[in-house]
Amino acid sequence: MGNLGGKTLLMSGGSRGIGLAIAVRAARDGANVVLIAKTDTPDPRLEGTIHTAAAAIEAAGGKVLAMVGDVRDDETIASAVAQAVATFGGIDIVVNNASVISLDGTLKVSPKRYDLMQDVNVRGTFMLSKAALPFLLEAENPHILSLCPPLNLSQKWLGMNPAYTLAKYGMTLTALGFAAEFAAQGVASNALWPRTTIATAAVANILGGDEMIRRSRTAAIMADAAHAVLTTNSRELTGQAIIDEELLRARGMEDFSGYAVDPSVELMIDLYVDQ
């Protein structure tokens, strides 16, 4: 199960950051990647579009179907699933990568932002997976992988930004629920989260700018961890909230220095992960 060659991944988001890194890593095996992403034209605040992502996936050796759309839209989801099946013959993997973040406290978060986080993070994860499940059930080694944290119920995390925490934990509960519901049919569903912050636009723009980027790892560690999950027998790894470093250590990796943006500084532990 060590290779994703010929497998078809359906991914929400993926124009940049962790999602794109996961897609490119799969493409290096010769995977097919179907992207649903909103960024059609360049945004001065964000690097990359769905078109630059598609070019990177193709350059890595994969085949790509890029669909400009919103994971909140049921017609977009249905079209993406239909086109994935028509183009590549089925769906083997769903990666729920699209996510919205707001670290505002309860008194500051707007109703619009609250609804957006619930719609993209929780509903989008549920509905994209639901639409693909009839085809996952026919796949040889089907996986659903959602980028969401462990259910850490410490007071620190529960009280920091409840609106965002609800949305991300909602994703995690969805992932674990699928695992329980479809265990007998062999569809794996897991959550994956980084131990440290990852050098992405969200970290730079929301969490702490250039200094936080220096204390982060590159998205390559999440791509390698995702690849390890997705190439594991689906009946042997499911229903887990996985931390990237812990999984890779369990698979024999010892040296993580190559993932550090700046190996000379102390890494920043990510949200929902205790020291």
Side-chain angles (χ1 to χ4, degrees):
M1 295 290 184
N3 191 287
L4 295 177
K7 299 291 186 180
T8 298
L9 287 74
L10 174 62
M11 177 183 290
S12 62
S15 294
R16 61 187 67 83
I18 294 170
L20 177 57
I22 291 172
V24 168
R25 179 66 184 87
R28 281 162 45 193
D29 285 354
N32 311 312
V33 181
V34 181
L35 294 179
I36 305 173
K38 290 176 61 179
T39 310
D40 185 31
T41 57
D43 184 327
R45 301 167 300 172
L46 301 169
E47 181 181 358
T49 68
I50 191 171
H51 308 295
T52 59
I57 292 165
E58 289 181 338
K63 297 179 181 178
V64 64
L65 179 61
M67 298 191 59
V68 178
D70 193 326
V71 74
R72 294 176 293 171
D73 180 65
D74 294 335
E75 291 184 4
T76 295
I77 289 175
S79 178
V81 168
Q83 291 191 48
V85 173
T87 304
F88 300 120
I91 298 171
D92 301 284
I93 294 163
V94 173
V95 179
N96 292 299
N97 166 72
S99 188
V100 175
I101 182 172
S102 171
L103 299 184
D104 287 338
T106 300
L107 297 178
K108 290 185 177 180
V109 68
S110 70
K112 182 178 180 180
R113 196 67 175 177
Y114 179 92
D115 290 344
L116 180 62
M117 287 192 287
Q118 288 290 330
D119 285 348
V120 173
N121 300 6
V122 187
R123 189 183 188 279
T125 293
F126 188 96
M127 292 301 176
L128 184 64
S129 303
K130 178 181 185 293
L133 268 162
F135 304 98
L136 293 175
L137 288 165
E138 297 176 356
E140 180 183 359
N141 189 42
H143 282 267
I144 299 170
L145 186 64
S146 302
L147 303 188
C148 45
L151 297 173
N152 189 334
L153 300 182
S154 82
Q155 294 296 296
K156 173 183 178 180
W157 300 120
L158 289 177
M160 181 170 287
N161 32 247
Y164 178 62
T165 299
L166 279 169
K168 293 307 288 188
Y169 283 13
M171 285 183 72
T172 307
L173 286 169
T174 300
L176 300 182
F178 290 147
E181 184 177 5
F182 295 99
Q185 293 98 317
V187 178
S189 179
N190 294 286
L192 178 64
W193 195 249
R195 178 177 179 269
T196 72
T197 54
I198 301 296
T200 63
V203 167
N205 296 335
I206 297 174
L207 293 182
D210 292 341
E211 179 58 27
M212 188 72 81
I213 292 293
R214 287 185 63 227
R215 298 180 62 187
S216 299
R217 284 173 170 160
T218 68
I221 188 170
M222 284 289 281
D224 288 344
H227 187 272
V229 172
L230 300 175
T231 54
T232 300
N233 188 306
S234 61
R235 293 184 179 273
E236 297 178 0
L237 179 60
T238 188
Q240 302 297 311
I242 299 165
I243 301 296
D244 58 354
E245 181 179 323
E246 293 177 3
L247 175 71
L248 293 174
R249 283 191 185 279
R251 300 292 176 95
M253 182 176 289
E254 297 179 356
D255 183 5
F256 292 82
S257 60
Y259 295 120
V261 172
D262 184 347
S264 69
V265 300
E266 182 180 0
L267 291 168
M268 176 62 67
I269 304 301
D270 206 353
L271 299 170
Y272 310 114
V273 179
D274 294 329
Q275 292 280 358

